């Protein structure tokens, strides 16, 4: 969750040339305009994709901008740039915005309707699930504290900021995810991460995933408890957490969940059975 490996932009010029060839002359985008677009791509990368109002007009003619906006149709599964689509989706198994959704779409980090010039720019195309793509605001935000994290260009791994709060009731368990403002984190980044949870409705969407994930751990938890008691359960949770962390990073929701469960004495001491809803509460005799 949060980050994806940065795709290569070595083919950016080739993509423009493929859609807007110089030969024969008369293409809707001139050679000079294409050079300008490549400069804008460099600016975008240097700015880590933070929106800049100057990029809306971008010094390009209205016709050039309209052509770039329309060019995104070439990034379909059968379009001239279908290889770009396939490359971006290659090896991305889970949506970087939620950490569980199946990759279906390419999200324009900067909305293509407002930033036409980045319509087919690889760094602006983030593989995402349809739900997250649907939750993305349609208008760019001017408030820096509400701007989205860039999955390619803003490395979040220096901070461990996602945590879970677990409340175990008599027959159920509630989990809520939150952002911790850790040492060294700016107020702005903290606000943007909080906004991320809110924008993608993650605390509404995580419970279903938590249920599925924990139901898959039932047999392991039982075994660990039977042979090791609370310490056995805690040890299992810790080992699972480290494995998750290695694969998905320190801010994966499963990592945060397992960390919270391992620190719950109640859960480790057997309440996992009640929390997971597969043992009735015994009445005291
Ligand atoms: Zn998603």
């Amino acid at each position: 969750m949060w980050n994806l490996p940065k795709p290569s932009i070595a083919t950016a010029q080739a993509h423009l040339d493929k859609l807007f060839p110089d030969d024969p002359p008369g293409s809707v985008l001139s050679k000079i305009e294409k050079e300008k677009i490549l400069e804008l791509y460099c600016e975008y990368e240097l700015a880590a994709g933070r929106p800049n109002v100057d990029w809306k007009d971008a010094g390009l003619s209205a016709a050039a901008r309209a052509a770039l906006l329309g060019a995104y149709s070439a990034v379909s599964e059968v379009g001239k740039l279908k290889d770009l689509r396939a490359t971006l989706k290659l090896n991305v198994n889970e949506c970087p915005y939620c950490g569980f959704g199946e990759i279906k779409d390419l999200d324009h980090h900067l909305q293509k309707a407002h930033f036409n010039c980045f319509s087919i720019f690889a760094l602006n195309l983030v593989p995402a699930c349809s739900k997250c793509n649907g939750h993305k605001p349609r208008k760019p935000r001017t408030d820096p504290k509400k701007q989205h994290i860039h999955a390619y260009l803003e490395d979040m791994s220096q901070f461990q900021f996602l945590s879970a709060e677990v409340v175990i009731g008599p027959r159920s368990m509630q989990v809520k995810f939150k952002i911790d403002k850790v040492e060294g984190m700016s107020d702005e980044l903290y606000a943007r991460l909080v906004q991320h949870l809110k924008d993608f409705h993650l605390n509404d969407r995580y419970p279903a995933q938590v249920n599925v994930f924990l139901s898959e751990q039932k047999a392991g938890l039982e075994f660990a408890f039977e042979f090791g008691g609370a310490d056995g359960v805690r040890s299992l949770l810790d080992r699972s957490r480290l494995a998750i962390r290695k694969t998905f990073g320190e801010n994966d929701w499963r990592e945060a969940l397992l960390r919270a469960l391992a620190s719950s004495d109640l859960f480790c001491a057997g309440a996992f059975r009640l929390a997971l809803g597969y043992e009735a509460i015994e009445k005291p005799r």
Side-chain angles (χ1 to χ4, degrees), residues 95-99 101 128-129 131-132 205:
C95 172
Y97 299 148
C98 62
C129 75
K131 277 246 169 159
C132 285
R205 296 166 63 204

Side-chain angles (χ1 to χ4, degrees), residues 20-157:
F20 307 104
D22 294 328
D23 188 27
S27 167
V28 67
L29 281 189
S30 68
K31 201 169 180 176
I32 291 172
E33 283 173 316
K34 284 191 284 182
E35 283 169 7
K36 172 70 183 165
I37 293 161
L38 291 171
E39 283 174 22
L40 290 164
Y41 286 179
C42 291
E43 282 181 31
Y44 178 108
E45 186 174 9
L46 281 172
R50 300 298 292 275
N52 179 337
V53 288
D54 293 342
W55 293 339
K56 290 191 177 183
D57 174 86
L60 298 168
S61 69
R65 281 185 276 116
L68 281 165
L69 177 62
Y72 182 63
S73 62
V75 194
S76 70
E77 285 175 6
V78 292
K80 283 185 180 177
L81 299 186
K82 64 177 186 290
D83 290 352
L84 170 60
R85 186 179 197 86
T87 304
L88 291 170
K89 286 182 160 184
L90 194 68
N91 299 327
V92 180
N93 299 316
E94 292 176 335
C95 172
Y97 299 148
C98 62
F100 58 83
E102 186 185 352
I103 299 296
K104 295 272 190 187
D105 301 345
L106 288 179
D107 169 51
H108 283 84
H109 175 78
L110 292 186
Q111 298 87 336
K112 67 179 185 301
H114 296 268
F115 297 96
N116 307 158
C117 56
F118 302 123
S119 170
I120 60 165
F121 182 36
L123 293 186
N124 198 44
L125 301 174
V126 180
C129 75
S130 298
K131 277 246 169 159
C132 285
N133 197 19
H135 286 312
K136 184 90 180 284
R138 298 295 118 190
K139 287 185 180 175
R141 289 179 171 146
T142 51
D143 182 351
K145 288 187 170 181
K146 292 188 173 179
Q147 292 170 353
H148 276 172
I149 307 295
H150 202 300
Y152 297 139
L153 300 177
E154 293 183 87
D155 182 7
M156 295 290 122
S157 64

Side-chain angles (χ1 to χ4, degrees), residues 92-242:
V92 180
N93 299 316
E94 292 176 335
C95 172
Y97 299 148
C98 62
F100 58 83
E102 186 185 352
I103 299 296
K104 295 272 190 187
D105 301 345
L106 288 179
D107 169 51
H108 283 84
H109 175 78
L110 292 186
Q111 298 87 336
K112 67 179 185 301
H114 296 268
F115 297 96
N116 307 158
C117 56
F118 302 123
S119 170
I120 60 165
F121 182 36
L123 293 186
N124 198 44
L125 301 174
V126 180
C129 75
S130 298
K131 277 246 169 159
C132 285
N133 197 19
H135 286 312
K136 184 90 180 284
R138 298 295 118 190
K139 287 185 180 175
R141 289 179 171 146
T142 51
D143 182 351
K145 288 187 170 181
K146 292 188 173 179
Q147 292 170 353
H148 276 172
I149 307 295
H150 202 300
Y152 297 139
L153 300 177
E154 293 183 87
D155 182 7
M156 295 290 122
S157 64
Q158 61 181 305
F159 301 115
Q160 181 172 287
F161 54 79
L162 187 68
S163 65
E165 287 177 342
V166 172
V167 178
I168 299 173
R171 288 181 182 275
S172 66
M173 182 174 78
Q174 289 185 339
V175 183
K176 188 177 179 189
F177 290 83
K178 66 181 182 65
I179 303 295
D180 296 327
K181 189 173 183 309
V182 296
E183 196 179 341
M185 179 184 280
S186 68
D187 290 345
E188 184 179 295
L189 179 57
Y190 172 71
R192 293 170 71 206
L193 290 166
V194 170
Q195 189 69 39
H196 182 108
L197 287 189
K198 192 175 164 191
D199 281 341
F200 295 112
H201 302 255
L202 293 181
N203 268 314
D204 293 334
R205 296 166 63 204
Y206 276 140
Q209 301 302 318
V210 168
N211 280 337
V212 172
F213 176 69
L214 287 183
S215 67
E216 292 167 356
Q217 320 298 320
K218 277 180 183 176
L221 287 167
E222 273 300 338
F223 186 84
F225 189 64
E226 188 177 347
F227 292 98
D231 287 344
V233 171
R234 189 170 287 111
S235 171
L236 172 70
L237 294 171
D238 279 338
R239 277 183 282 121
S240 302
R241 181 177 67 80
L242 291 174

